[in-house]
Amino acid sequence: MLMDKLHHGDYRCGWSALVGRPNIGKSTLLNRIIGQKVSITSRRPQTTRHRILGVLTRQRYQLILVDTPGIHRSESSYLNRIFNRAATSSLDAVDVNLMMIDARGWHADDDKVLSAIKRNQSKSILLINKIDMLKNKSRLLPLIDQSTKKHDFEEIIPISAEKGSGVEQLLNSLHGYLPEGQADFPKQMVTDRTQRFMAAELVREQIFIQLGEELPYTCAVQVDEFEESKTLHRISVLIWIEKVSHKPIFLGKKGARLKKIGTQARHEMEVLFGNKVYLQLWVKVKEGWAESDLSLKTLGYLEE
Ligand SMILES: Nc1nc2c(ncn2[C@@H]2O[C@H](COP(=O)(O)OP(=O)(O)OP(=O)(O)O)[C@@H](O)[C@H]2O)c(=O)[nH]1
Ligand SMILES: [Mg+2]
């Protein structure tokens, strides 16, 4: 009887949250595992601003990965507090947490992440990311040793989210933490986010890439119009900033920068949506939106 049950019930489905300080490679790992871009990434910290699900369905299991905003020590701004809350609220509801640090060593922000991990009941695996950046791999051993002393992690796995090393091993390990049960989501689903959401994110990703160091902290993107036909996606996007003085940074010389942001984002959308895209961008100034609950709700940063 027991044998029979094990045999029939061996499909597994479970949840895992990616947590870590900003810029550590959480979204890169999510995309690597899912096999397509479901969460935007950039060299700038605080790229991810929402909780985003990626769903991996394989023959024997379904893994639902939760990407979160980077956890940050500084809670000086309202936005920062909202992002930290979005990150830590995911930790309790999962079967196993994946905490990520850099192969080059522990950082003060990592300890903030660790205290969030220690506060909740779920099991945790430590991922040591960016091992491709280590010239001398023997430096991993003392880091693993130090990490063992910091917390009773279930496992410590060195990976490179960017190059893919260690990722299959991670998936094999994760399989063991997933409870038996049927898939939570249909097998063709890769994310909980809509094309409309992805359109705004792909514009934000280009802003992060094109503006680099000049990027103002408070900049948000909102889809104004989204019309889909068989041959064309017609999309209009608003870029919200707080100061008129920031406008030239977005426009660039004779509008060249905004044009480039639009062209690149449009290419990305055409690949993702498998359709031609007509994209319009508008830069709008609205003072104080980053402190206004109403604006933050409209932008999807505050949940009802
Ligand atoms: N060399 C190297 N770079 C990596 C690796 N993983 C991620 N990166 C880079 O690190 C930067 C940050 O990656 P993200 O995936 O956006 O980091 P994140 O943790 O999601 O950041 P936030 O969303 O800001 O919290 C990007 O420039 C990535 O290309 C890796 O394994 N090796
Ligand atoms: Mg991210």
Side-chain angles (χ1 to χ4, degrees):
M1 183 66 188
L2 184 67
M3 283 290 289
D4 205 38
K5 200 168 177 190
L6 279 177
H7 190 74
H8 284 293
D10 61 2
Y11 197 82
R12 292 172 180 238
C13 174
W15 292 62
S16 184
L18 284 158
V19 279
R21 67 178 153 98
N23 217 33
I24 199 74
K26 300 177 293 298
S27 304
T28 305
L29 179 62
L30 178 76
N31 295 340
R32 157 78 50 188
I33 290 177
I34 303 304
Q36 72 176 64
K37 188 181 286 181
V38 289
S39 189
I40 63 168
T41 66
S42 86
R43 278 185 298 164
R44 302 268 314 164
Q46 298 197 293
T47 306
T48 305
R49 291 181 163 186
H50 302 82
R51 228 175 315 140
I52 294 173
L53 299 191
V55 183
L56 175 71
T57 306
R58 287 198 169 166
Q59 203 133 30
R60 294 185 304 141
Y61 66 91
Q62 181 171 78
L63 169 69
I64 299 120
L65 279 168
V66 188
D67 190 15
T68 64
I71 294 176
H72 213 243
R73 259 174 314 161
S74 148
E75 296 217 324
S76 50
S77 78
Y78 188 40
L79 263 185
N80 247 333
R81 287 199 291 279
I82 289 176
F83 297 154
N84 273 354
R85 206 186 313 145
T88 51
S89 67
S90 317
L91 304 186
D92 275 325
V94 299
D95 300 296
V96 59
N97 284 307
L98 298 172
M99 173 174 173
M100 202 181 254
I101 60 166
D102 192 299
R104 288 158 292 184
W106 279 79
H107 181 279
D109 274 340
D110 297 327
D111 289 320
K112 170 105 187 172
V113 180
L114 188 63
S115 46
I117 289 273
K118 284 182 186 290
R119 270 199 306 275
N120 84 77
Q121 302 295 315
S122 307
K123 293 175 178 166
S124 298
I125 293 175
L126 183 71
L127 300 179
I128 301 183
N129 190 31
K130 309 199 185 183
I131 52 167
D132 56 293
M133 299 294 280
L134 271 191
K135 284 204 189 80
N136 184 354
K137 297 279 186 286
S138 68
R139 281 178 54 196
L140 271 176
L141 284 176
L143 180 61
I144 291 174
D145 204 39
Q146 185 192 1
S147 308
T148 314
K149 288 179 186 131
K150 284 200 180 252
H151 184 66
D152 189 15
F153 291 106
E154 302 292 319
E155 294 178 50
I156 297 178
I157 307 175
I159 63 162
S160 167
E162 189 142 293
K163 308 275 187 247
S165 37
V167 174
E168 264 315 305
Q169 189 210 331
L170 166 64
L171 288 174
N172 285 335
S173 288
L174 278 175
H175 177 252
Y177 297 86
L178 309 180
E180 284 183 8
Q182 291 183 343
D184 284 342
F185 295 108
K187 66 172 188 248
Q188 64 282 3
M189 186 170 144
V190 291
T191 178
D192 61 330
R193 296 295 179 163
T194 58
Q195 286 191 348
R196 194 185 167 105
F197 175 83
M198 284 310 298
E201 289 290 273
L202 290 172
V203 171
R204 210 161 57 75
E205 180 171 59
Q206 286 307 320
I207 292 173
F208 272 59
I209 292 170
Q210 310 289 338
L211 266 62
E213 295 302 312
E214 289 178 83
L215 181 76
Y217 178 60
T218 45
C219 153
V221 172
Q222 182 186 17
V223 172
D224 191 34
E225 283 169 58
F226 190 100
E227 271 176 39
E228 188 185 338
S229 75
K230 268 205 182 105
T231 50
L232 185 73
H233 276 61
R234 195 180 280 276
I235 303 168
S236 160
V237 168
L238 309 177
I239 300 170
W240 290 106
I241 54 176
E242 281 204 313
K243 296 194 176 92
V244 184
S245 63
H246 287 158
K247 215 166 176 173
I249 305 175
F250 284 82
L251 295 178
K253 273 199 193 113
K254 293 187 180 154
R257 189 179 251 166
L258 191 66
K259 200 168 164 195
K260 192 162 176 207
I261 292 171
T263 312
Q264 304 280 75
R266 178 168 56 79
H267 281 311
E268 293 268 343
M269 288 177 204
E270 288 181 336
V271 172
L272 196 64
F273 303 158
N275 202 359
K276 278 236 160 296
V277 170
Y278 174 75
L279 175 66
Q280 277 185 306
L281 300 181
W282 309 94
V283 182
K284 300 256 184 194
V285 183
K286 185 173 176 183
E287 278 179 34
W289 66 259
E291 271 88 44
S292 143
D293 279 355
L294 186 62
S295 302
L296 292 170
K297 261 184 200 144
T298 314
L299 291 165
Y301 293 145
L302 267 184
E303 281 161 24
E304 300 289 335

